[in-house]
Amino acid sequence: MAGGAGFIGSNFVRLLRHTRPEVEITVLDKLTYAGNLANLAEFDGAPGYRFVHGDICDATLVDSLAAKVDAIVNFAAETHVDRSLMEPLAFIDTDMKGTAVLCESARKHSHKVFLLVSTDEVYGEVKEGRSREEDALKPRSPYSASKAGGEHIARAYAESFGLPLLVTRGSNTFGQYQYPEKLVPVLITNAIDDLPLPLYNDGSAVRDYVHVEDHCRAIDLVLYEAPLSEPVYNIGTGVETDGNHVAAAVLEIMRKPKSLIEYVADRPGHDYRYALDVGRITGLGWEPRIALAEGLERTVRWYVDHQDWWRPLKSGEYWEYYKRNYRPLVT
Ligand code: NAD
Ligand code: DAU
């Protein structure tokens, strides 16, 4: 598994350890600013679990690991849209080249099953209707373009070399262990400290917020049950929510005033709506179990109870990034 020290990857390791303890897991992770060994600390020394520090762009290392596994699940990526507007090349390296290196090793070693964890952002902004798996990819940010590029490369390996490929396109995921740069953990950790809650423009951009445990259960289902003849799966709740709603809900749970909300300059090229048709994944037998209100309650409680986890992350490089991104908010 690549990228297992990040937010969704570490939650996926936890799910697998509990539900499929017989599965042996090797996590390969570069430990970028978003990777964190603390997310996996509970598995240190556990039988059937191994952590390898390294880059998915390192073909020699990837090849040596791929020779010993049955399946590759790729969570590894640069994942934050705002950072992709500052440093696009890092996204192209990991999300495209890194994916290609993994595909090449999967091909060399007798076609290992390759599951690429992708995103609903590859469809681009959806002004009306819902994106279906066969829709054209029209990404608009360096992040989503790199993810779409990775998908195209993987698809080419499936078509040209018979790579057994599965792709999941998940929607906005939230929950425990999310690095505090994405909307939900920014809102919660800022609210804990009575700092402004920044919403881009007028807070009206619509997303489909899925809890990380639901997202991970869906990836598990695709990995173990999906037919290779139907390899691509949207993962989301089908519920549309805007930023104003998320911020108001967080503040209500935390009993903090709405005056903490601050409307800030918009993200360039901001996609104002994503919406997924989730008929294919629900047809496989999955449905979300954690509604947004309950998920936010649980997530607020987790960040309140785990300040030792996130406070060290909100220092140094984090504030450099924060200052660049939210210039008017920080002096
Ligand atoms: P994250 O940023 O929390 O974690 C990414 C992980 O990848 C980190 O541990 C990092 O160290 C590792 N990594 C980065 N570059 C690497 C490289 N070159 N080699 C090895 N490891 C590297 O990301 P996340 O939110 O957990 O997302 C995981 C995957 O899910 C990504 O592919 C992302 O595109 C996709 N996704 C995320 C969401 C979301 O809302 N968070 C939604 C849909 C899809
Ligand atoms: O849709 C899936 C994608 O969701 C994943 O592929 C990405 O890895 C993940 O980062 C996420 O992308 P978004 O750009 O949608 O997530 P983010 O949390 O950054 O923003 C969610 C919405 O909230 C978006 O409309 C921008 C807005 N926003 C975000 C931040 C960080 C704000 O209004 N204020 C903020 O401070």
Side-chain angles (χ1 to χ4, degrees):
M1 178 186 312
F7 164 49
I8 306 176
S10 62
N11 277 284
F12 189 71
V13 173
R14 198 163 291 109
L15 174 75
L16 274 192
R17 295 300 298 176
H18 286 122
T19 58
R20 302 182 191 275
E22 73 285 0
V23 173
E24 296 191 4
I25 302 170
T26 298
V27 170
L28 169 64
D29 198 294
K30 185 178 171 183
L31 297 178
T32 65
Y33 75 93
N36 189 344
L37 277 181
N39 300 359
L40 296 168
E42 70 203 79
F43 309 113
D44 272 352
Y49 166 81
R50 174 159 85 118
F51 180 81
V52 178
H53 184 199
D55 190 333
I56 58 168
C57 296
D58 179 344
T60 309
L61 173 63
V62 167
D63 224 35
S64 69
L65 297 173
K68 298 177 208 130
V69 301
D70 301 321
I72 296 171
V73 181
N74 185 27
F75 292 92
E78 291 291 341
T79 61
H80 192 38
V81 173
D82 294 317
R83 288 188 191 250
S84 83
L85 297 163
M86 296 171 185
E87 311 282 353
L89 295 184
F91 288 70
I92 289 160
D93 279 347
T94 290
D95 303 9
M96 291 178 62
K97 183 182 172 200
T99 300
V101 168
L102 292 169
C103 288
E104 180 62 9
S105 284
R107 172 173 87 94
K108 267 203 226 160
H109 296 288
S110 331
H111 297 111
K112 310 290 184 184
V113 170
F114 182 67
L115 189 152
L116 178 60
V117 179
S118 188
T119 168
D120 63 357
E121 302 210 1
V122 294
Y123 295 115
E125 184 172 65
V126 184
K127 288 205 186 332
E128 53 192 34
R130 291 176 175 274
S131 304
R132 298 170 66 103
E133 286 84 352
E134 56 276 12
D135 287 355
L137 307 189
K138 294 183 179 167
R140 298 178 65 242
S141 73
Y143 164 67
S144 53
S146 307
K147 292 295 291 185
E151 276 203 37
H152 284 307
I153 291 160
R155 182 86 200 149
Y157 269 74
E159 297 287 347
S160 308
F161 308 122
L163 179 76
L165 174 68
L166 296 163
V167 177
T168 57
R169 295 188 184 138
S171 66
N172 284 63
T173 307
F174 71 101
Q176 59 275 7
Y177 297 100
Q178 187 166 32
Y179 186 85
E181 67 187 351
K182 309 282 165 68
L183 181 69
V184 171
V186 164
L187 297 180
I188 294 173
T189 57
N190 280 16
I192 289 172
D193 285 343
D194 294 313
L195 292 171
L197 272 54
L199 288 180
Y200 297 150
N201 191 22
D202 58 359
S204 68
V206 166
R207 297 290 186 267
D208 175 338
Y209 289 92
V210 64
H211 192 270
V212 67
E213 290 172 18
D214 284 329
H215 190 163
C216 287
R217 277 193 307 105
I219 293 171
D220 176 84
L221 183 67
V222 172
L223 181 60
Y224 286 96
E225 306 283 341
L228 292 171
S229 55
E230 197 155 64
V232 186
Y233 290 83
N234 290 340
I235 299 173
T237 64
V239 178
E240 297 185 35
T241 306
D242 70 14
N244 286 312
H245 178 91
V246 178
V250 164
L251 289 170
E252 198 180 316
I253 294 165
M254 299 181 71
R255 299 176 197 283
K256 299 266 182 172
K258 277 205 175 158
S259 55
L260 280 177
I261 294 176
E262 190 145 335
Y263 294 102
V264 300
D266 206 357
R267 169 187 284 175
H270 196 168
D271 286 339
Y272 265 77
R273 179 173 177 265
Y274 304 128
L276 291 175
D277 181 319
V278 290
R280 190 176 283 180
I281 185 75
T282 54
L284 265 192
W286 175 88
E287 58 178 27
R289 291 180 186 158
I290 303 172
L292 180 62
E294 184 198 339
L296 287 176
E297 290 253 10
R298 285 170 57 165
T299 308
V300 166
R301 210 177 315 129
W302 192 86
Y303 280 87
V304 168
D305 291 345
H306 291 80
Q307 301 197 26
D308 55 333
W309 181 84
W310 61 265
R311 285 209 182 273
L313 303 178
K314 284 185 101 165
S315 62
E317 192 275 342
Y318 179 87
W319 289 116
E320 291 308 310
Y321 153 77
Y322 199 88
K323 269 191 240 167
R324 271 177 87 185
N325 197 48
Y326 303 99
R327 220 178 290 268
L329 271 188
V330 191
T331 47

